[in-house]
Amino acid sequence: MTTHPSLESLQGSYAWVDAIRKISYGPGCVTKALPQIMDLLGGKKALIVTGNSLRTKTDVVEKIEKILKEHGAYGDTFSEIGEHAPVAGIHRGIEAFKKSGADIIVAVGGGSPIDAVKVIISYIQQQTGGTFVQQISIPTTLSAAEYTIGAGFTNEQGHKESTTVHSPELAPAGIILDAELTLPTPEQLWLATGLRALDHTVENFYKSTTPLPLKMLCYSAIADLFQYLPISKANPQDLQARQMLQLASWMSIWPLKLEKSGPLGLSHSLGHKLGATYGIPHGITSCLTLAAVVNYKAQVASTDDKQSLARALFYLREPSTGSVDSDVRKLSYLIDDLVIRLGLKRTLKGYGVPKEDLPRIAQLAINTLLALGEPESQLVEPQVVKLLESIYE
């Protein structure tokens, strides 16, 4: 079925951040790209910020250290960033930066170290009142944290807000997408963060501030994610598939928008409330919520948003059902099937989420979105609770 955007949806504006100076991509590119970006940014000495597992169980961090040492630019390595960026690790990271004598930070790993560095940079700037320290991000997952200008962290009580620091200056000044560095990433983490990237693409289809040209990038991203995630699962050593997935993650949330950000939509908002509180990884929250939220959108979304979702079937080379609502539901089923094929099907009960907590989770997620101006008509608490019940067990 052929659908066209309404005249209303063909109007709008978009302001983006130009803080990123350079993005390098390609298998093996880090060897040349890291010194080049350091020189471009005027960095003399770098502190590497990463997680303990990446440092102790793989040689990825060692490779980065070697490159920096060969160019006389190595300061130290701080590897105490935990999942969901607990605040205690962030405070220790600030002290590590001060002791290292570094003037730039290289974040290596997934969304937690990349976001933690944004918070570290923000706190250092608040303490000194000077310019923002620059970050170079070297992601080893597909979470796409390197393309945002805000970050959250987990407080002492174990709660995480989606955006606790926010500034255009927090965007990484350099990004290196080297598929070879992703080879040691555990399979579940790699594939689940691919679903996180898919979550970005899909929620951009019904994000009111996403203009049509950027949605076209998301259509390309959704096609590549559906194609290359199963290939990457079947052959984890396939560098072409991994590099294509890194580029799809880039397209899923590019370019950085200047306006203050928060969760893209209901799937992200629910994921933020579920993640840190119940110890559910970022990617897995998307595996849990995305298909169910798209199915919910078939009931409550605007006509334009439904059409944006339904149009994804064309890029997935899937025939239309002949009805926009049914096409949206079909997209939901396709997402659920992809999660199953990747071996990522999970339940809230399996993560120990108490069923009596579901109304509170729903209300917290709704409140966050309402504060960002999302339509109240699409955020009906009993229906969102029912959505959570559908993924409970």
Side-chain angles (χ1 to χ4, degrees):
M1 136 172 232
T2 302
T3 58
H4 301 284
S6 69
L7 287 175
E8 182 180 350
S9 70
L10 294 176
Q11 302 179 54
S13 63
Y14 195 83
W16 61 88
V17 176
D18 58 2
I20 295 180
R21 300 283 302 279
K22 187 172 184 178
I23 301 178
S24 296
Y25 59 93
C29 73
V30 69
T31 303
K32 291 183 178 180
L34 182 53
Q36 288 173 350
I37 295 176
M38 285 283 292
D39 288 343
L40 176 67
L41 302 179
K44 303 300 182 184
K45 185 182 290 187
L47 171 72
I48 296 172
V49 173
T50 188
N52 186 60
S53 293
L54 194 64
R55 188 181 190 185
T56 60
K57 297 180 180 179
T58 79
D59 64 351
V60 171
V61 176
E62 185 180 351
K63 288 180 179 178
I64 306 302
E65 290 174 341
K66 182 180 178 182
I67 294 168
L68 290 172
K69 287 175 182 177
E70 288 175 348
H71 289 80
Y74 177 68
D76 200 357
T77 298
F78 177 76
S79 57
E80 298 179 36
I81 299 298
E83 190 170 27
H84 299 295
V87 69
I90 288 168
H91 288 311
R92 289 193 295 271
I94 293 170
E95 293 307 310
F97 178 79
K98 292 176 180 178
K99 290 178 181 177
S100 71
D103 58 1
I104 200 165
I105 301 178
V106 176
V108 183
S112 292
I114 291 170
D115 275 354
V117 169
K118 295 174 194 171
V119 183
I120 289 171
I121 290 171
S122 179
Y123 280 9
I124 291 173
Q125 194 279 331
Q126 291 175 31
Q127 292 173 6
T128 64
T131 59
F132 287 81
V133 177
Q134 296 182 100
Q135 174 186 175
I136 299 172
S137 291
I138 306 178
T140 59
T141 73
L142 299 167
S143 67
E146 59 273 17
Y147 305 110
T148 66
I149 62 175
F153 61 89
T154 304
N155 62 24
E156 290 86 349
Q157 290 74 43
H159 299 298
K160 181 174 182 179
E161 290 300 323
S162 58
T163 307
T164 53
V165 299
H166 179 276
S167 174
E169 289 85 355
L170 297 180
I175 300 171
I176 300 172
L177 306 176
D178 184 336
E180 287 185 359
L181 298 179
T182 73
L183 289 171
T185 303
E187 180 184 86
Q188 177 178 296
L189 178 60
W190 176 250
L191 298 176
T193 54
L195 260 294
R196 188 67 169 176
L198 184 67
D199 207 338
H200 300 324
T201 70
V202 172
E203 295 226 288
N204 264 320
F205 295 145
Y206 45 78
K207 184 74 172 177
S208 61
T209 55
T210 306
L212 188 58
L214 300 193
K215 288 184 181 181
M216 300 310 295
L217 282 176
C218 290
Y219 287 127
S220 293
I222 196 174
D224 285 347
L225 289 165
F226 264 83
Q227 179 178 353
Y228 289 105
L229 281 170
I231 292 174
S232 191
K233 178 176 174 61
N235 182 7
Q237 301 302 308
D238 189 327
L239 283 175
Q240 181 185 29
R242 285 178 172 269
Q243 198 65 65
M244 289 297 293
L245 287 169
Q246 284 194 303
L247 296 177
S249 173
W250 179 5
M251 289 189 291
S252 76
I253 197 167
W254 178 261
L256 289 72
K257 60 180 178 292
L258 188 59
E259 294 87 356
K260 185 170 183 178
S261 60
L264 281 169
L266 183 57
S267 180
H268 276 73
S269 191
L270 289 170
H272 291 160
K273 306 312 172 189
L274 290 166
T277 305
Y278 303 100
I280 306 176
H282 282 307
I284 294 296
T285 62
S286 294
C287 296
L288 284 161
T289 60
L290 181 57
V293 167
V294 172
N295 188 56
Y296 176 63
K297 288 291 180 178
Q299 306 169 49
V300 302
S302 68
T303 300
D304 275 331
D305 289 347
K306 289 180 184 180
Q307 289 180 344
S308 291
L309 287 164
R311 203 169 293 122
L313 295 185
F314 172 82
Y315 295 89
L316 296 176
R317 299 182 180 182
E318 290 284 342
S320 170
T321 65
S323 158
V324 172
D325 288 4
S326 295
D327 280 355
V328 176
R329 285 191 289 270
K330 182 174 181 177
L331 178 61
S332 168
Y333 304 149
L334 290 171
I335 294 169
D336 191 52
D337 178 67
L338 179 62
V339 172
I340 293 170
R341 285 189 289 134
L342 295 176
L344 298 172
K345 189 70 172 179
R346 302 289 188 271
T347 64
L348 293 178
K349 184 178 181 180
Y351 278 97
V353 179
K355 197 165 188 177
E356 57 269 25
D357 286 4
L358 300 187
R360 182 180 62 85
I361 295 166
Q363 195 58 63
L364 287 172
I366 289 170
N367 290 344
T368 298
L369 293 172
L370 289 176
L372 292 169
E374 289 294 304
E376 187 174 351
S377 60
Q378 297 186 24
L379 298 167
V380 183
E381 194 262 355
Q383 292 182 341
V384 177
V385 172
K386 187 175 180 180
L387 181 161
L388 289 170
E389 289 174 346
S390 73
I391 59 175
Y392 185 75
E393 58 183 338

